[in-house]
Amino acid sequence: MQHPPKDKPSSPTADRRREIAAAARSLIAERGFEGLRTRDIAARVGINVATLHYHVPTKETLIGLVAQSLRDDFIAQHESRPRDTLSPRERLISEFDDFRENLTDNAELFKVMAELQERARRDPVVSDVIRPMQAFWFAQVAEVLARGRDDGSFRHDLDPEAGALLVLGAMIASQRHPNASMALFDGVCAELLRSLENPSPPDAGRGPAARQAPAPKPSFGKSPLKNSTKVP
Amino acid sequence: MQHPPKDKPSSPTADRRREIAAAARSLIAERGFEGLRTRDIAARVGINVATLHYHVPTKETLIGLVAQSLRDDFIAQHESRPRDTLSPRERLISEFDDFRENLTDNAELFKVMAELQERARRDPVVSDVIRPMQAFWFAQVAEVLARGRDDGSFRHDLDPEAGALLVLGAMIASQRHPNASMALFDGVCAELLRSLENPSPPDAGRGPAARQAPAPKPSFGKSPLKNSTKVP
DNA sequence: CACGCTCAATCAAGTGATTGATGGAGGGCG
DNA sequence: CGCCCTCCATCAATCACTTGATTGAGCGTG
């Protein structure tokens, strides 16, 4: 987006802006935009309100800054994943694992994301930052589904875009559920796999008997994937 | 919930409160809670701010009132549907149609619902009203899926609760999508049906040939259902 | 009917508190 | 000195909510 040799500006001002964005993020996660006050952000950073306004001229730009920091985190995380070496099914499971990982040690991210999602309805600054991120995520899943359909591991009549909405919608819904838990999320992932997989795979010899047992629970931890197919 | 002979209290005060709740709802849909001002609500009703505070003592109770009015609408609508005469598959499609119907001529409802969903995180007053409503919806879908699994129309290994999260999550996600449209929603519904239906039904003679065509588009308008099974 | 009283409903005009934002005066450091 | 950076003090605007007064409909009593 900016100058290429600017991987980490690390100037003191840029650091302050990152601190401010981080403080704003945690406060948004706690109280939402409705209760977001510049004074509170400044207090959490440990600076004066005027100092905050020196670094970030207005509240609106501050919110834009939060949206950008969230997008940067999201994209950096998704680009650091191994992609081309995995089969479609493995990549889908990897998507589940990514989500689960964020769910545990990055819970704040989802709350802020939900809050930004609502705000994107009215704020074009937020919308311009958030929407491409969602579109990127959506397209990535849709592409995985399309490849899996074409190679026979997913259903032949699978609509990749609709399927991507199933996957993302179900993952997010499992987290918004009142009784949200990791077991619920795992159950949803297993159900997604059963819903998308080809019931009669052309090459694999799993046979139709596997579809009789209710909820087989494939137990896809990250471990059984990391060393299954490394590189040809 | 209240006295049985109180279907429509229709006292002038209760009417005013309903007017206020309606105005607040539309304003929340437009600007969210962040931009909700008691002055604006009063102006939309056509009364003074003091008069509004005469009817609704505080802003918090006003928001609770909005939540209640939303829940009442939701439950009234869901209880007015024919339930016991339909097969599980028909009831699922009826759920799609309900959602689609609200999507077109009740769009405000979903915006307010999303807004309340976020607020329920921190406001116990809203939470106590919204959560049971969602639980009711969720349980209703899960029960339909369980019945459909048991009678063979849905997959044998279908997990009803996880499946309900698939259905609700996908429907909601299709509406939050940046390029949301009715065609997208219909595609998601079709994909949900393909995902949940039994690929080898025991009694029906549809045959496996129907599963080869990509995206068959069953075209489930409301019309083919409304007069198929009326009442014995 | 007429008079006096009550009370729900409404309003104009505030009240104090809070908010985002500013201006100018320092402070530390090269 | 000059340049970032920080803070104190303050502003104008806005907020939810209150105050005190007015209206008019109902209602009993003589």
Side-chain angles (χ1 to χ4, degrees), chain B residues 13 16 48 51 54-55:
Chain B
T13 299
R16 263 281 187 260
N48 189 278
T51 308
Y54 168 80
H55 290 284

